[in-house]
Amino acid sequence: MEIVVSGIRSTGNLHLGNYYGALQNFIKMQDEYNCFFFIADLHSLTTHPTPANLHGNVKQVLIEYLAAGIDPEKATIYVQSDVPEVTELYLYLNMNAYLGELERATSFKDKVRANPENVNAGLLTYPVLMAADIIIHKATKVPVGKDQEQHLEMARTFGNRFNRLYNHDYFPEPFAFSFGESLVKIPGLDGKGKMGKSEGEGNAIFLGDTPEAIRKKVMRAVTDSGPTVENQQKPQEIQNLFDLMKVVSTPDTLAHFDELYNKMAIRYGDLKKQLAEDMVLATAPIRDKINAIANDADYLRKVAEMGAEKARESASKTIREVREIIGFRKF
């Protein structure tokens, strides 16, 4: 089976954007590909989490991966820091990654602008660590969004550069991959861009949110004063609510509110109430599983240990061969 690798930063709870934008496809992939899904706790160190937050966030993502339907018997779920071979490969790749190309990375420039007081070397070499994550398993398929495609291109660059430098056709090229259907972009509740953790607590519906929290967040979602002519184009903040409804509600419900909008008869309070209840229903099975798994420390430990063992089996083979290719040999 072809190898798929994807990771998610351990920076807190997963939200509807993660689920519909990525996790649903992961669940389908695990039946047809050799999948490695990791929790990127090393990447999260660029923002300097406290030890308690670091561990708590890793645990929460692991719980939510499992609750969403990723099966540790089918896919390899592991914590990035449990596989030290990744950091060894990161070191080797760093020796052939150049300052100019790293500084030109769009994500690095964005982070420098956003946090000028925290421009650390980890941010600069973030694409190198991401490349190590991918090519250590010799993955050929990587489910990524548009914002990560430049990093994936750099992963190909670093792998190909290694192959040329050591005259050895070793690392295959990884490419962006969407399983069967295009990724769903889930808008946030703030009326602007996509759903995300960094845009503020009220922007995202988390998979573990209580029904009360979901209702409160949705009722606070940004709207306008309503349509002024029939069949007018919806402004972004209103289109966002309809796009969310398209994901969690029935087609009949969506059509009903669309018709009310086009006839200038819509009441946003009714729209939000319906959207909130549909979100509560959509997330109920995952929320129940989160609550069931959260306190099962033995199960979580077993999953993490099994994942680390499987990931290290793959990674250690790569590192042994890479060391031989580079010229590290025992006397």
Side-chain angles (χ1 to χ4, degrees):
M1 290 196 290
E2 281 190 275
I3 296 170
V4 172
V5 168
S6 188
I8 190 162
R9 274 166 60 96
S10 54
T11 51
N13 305 68
L14 303 181
H15 51 71
L16 289 183
N18 300 130
Y19 182 70
Y20 290 107
L23 283 172
Q24 273 197 331
N25 271 353
F26 289 1
I27 293 157
K28 296 174 193 170
M29 288 173 200
Q30 65 187 354
D31 289 315
E32 296 188 30
Y33 295 91
N34 182 10
C35 294
F36 291 86
F37 299 130
F38 67 93
I39 300 164
D41 56 341
L42 295 176
H43 283 289
S44 74
L45 294 179
T46 58
T47 55
H48 308 142
T50 66
N53 285 342
L54 178 63
H55 180 71
N57 288 340
V58 169
K59 180 183 176 184
Q60 193 61 37
V61 174
L62 178 60
I63 290 165
E64 292 176 1
Y65 259 172
L66 296 167
I70 296 181
D71 185 345
E73 299 292 337
K74 295 178 179 177
T76 301
I77 310 172
Y78 65 98
V79 180
Q80 187 185 28
S81 61
D82 283 344
V83 184
E85 291 83 358
V86 170
T87 53
E88 185 173 344
L89 182 58
Y90 170 47
L91 173 68
Y92 300 152
L93 296 178
N94 262 328
M95 299 305 180
N96 301 302
Y98 299 107
L99 181 61
E101 64 188 343
L102 295 172
E103 287 180 329
R104 284 193 297 273
T106 304
S107 63
F108 176 68
K109 290 189 282 190
D110 289 345
K111 287 183 171 70
V112 169
R113 276 194 295 270
N115 300 288
E117 74 292 341
N118 181 31
V119 184
N120 56 68
L123 281 177
L124 182 68
T125 60
Y126 190 102
V128 188
L129 181 54
M130 182 172 167
D133 290 321
I134 295 165
I135 68 176
I136 199 155
H137 300 300
K138 294 191 163 183
T140 54
K141 288 181 161 46
V142 184
V144 291
K146 284 275 182 201
D147 58 336
Q148 292 291 325
E149 282 184 356
Q150 187 184 35
H151 283 167
L152 188 53
E153 185 180 333
M154 293 174 83
R156 286 193 293 274
T157 296
F158 299 141
N160 287 333
R161 187 175 292 158
F162 179 93
N163 293 349
R164 285 195 308 273
L165 185 66
Y166 296 105
N167 196 26
H168 202 294
D169 189 17
Y170 185 70
F171 289 116
E173 289 192 321
F175 288 94
F177 174 56
S178 176
F179 184 73
E181 55 191 79
S182 58
L183 296 178
V184 181
K185 285 188 173 60
I186 304 299
L189 296 171
D190 62 1
K192 297 172 187 170
K194 66 179 183 178
M195 186 172 288
K197 293 179 280 247
S198 57
E199 283 74 21
E201 190 74 17
N203 180 56
I205 300 293
F206 297 112
L207 299 182
D209 274 347
T210 63
E212 293 73 25
I214 292 172
R215 293 182 187 114
K216 190 178 289 186
K217 286 180 182 179
V218 174
M219 294 310 290
R220 288 177 179 165
V222 176
T223 54
D224 62 9
S225 55
T228 53
V229 294
E230 290 189 358
N231 301 308
Q232 77 174 50
Q233 185 176 345
K234 300 178 184 76
Q236 185 178 353
E237 62 268 25
I238 305 305
Q239 186 60 53
N240 283 359
L241 296 178
F242 276 87
D243 287 346
L244 286 165
M245 189 167 265
K246 195 181 298 181
V247 174
V248 299
S249 307
T250 66
D252 288 349
T253 300
L254 179 65
H256 169 70
F257 284 101
D258 201 39
E259 184 181 358
L260 288 176
Y261 186 89
N262 289 333
K263 293 195 305 191
M264 297 169 55
I266 194 160
R267 289 155 54 109
Y268 288 139
D270 293 340
L271 170 76
K272 289 179 178 181
K273 283 176 187 169
Q274 182 66 53
L275 177 60
E277 293 314 310
D278 290 342
M279 283 181 172
V280 168
L281 277 175
T283 54
I286 300 173
R287 186 164 47 250
D288 291 345
K289 287 177 187 170
I290 288 171
N291 293 334
I293 295 170
N295 296 316
D296 194 342
D298 289 341
Y299 175 62
L300 293 173
R301 188 181 307 109
K302 180 184 168 189
V303 169
E305 287 174 355
M306 183 170 71
E309 186 179 335
K310 287 162 70 178
R312 289 202 70 183
E313 185 181 340
S314 165
S316 60
K317 178 177 183 296
T318 300
I319 286 297
R320 277 196 310 273
E321 293 168 352
V322 163
R323 283 174 145 262
E324 182 72 21
I325 290 167
I326 291 173
F328 293 118
R329 291 164 196 159
K330 293 190 184 304
F331 287 94

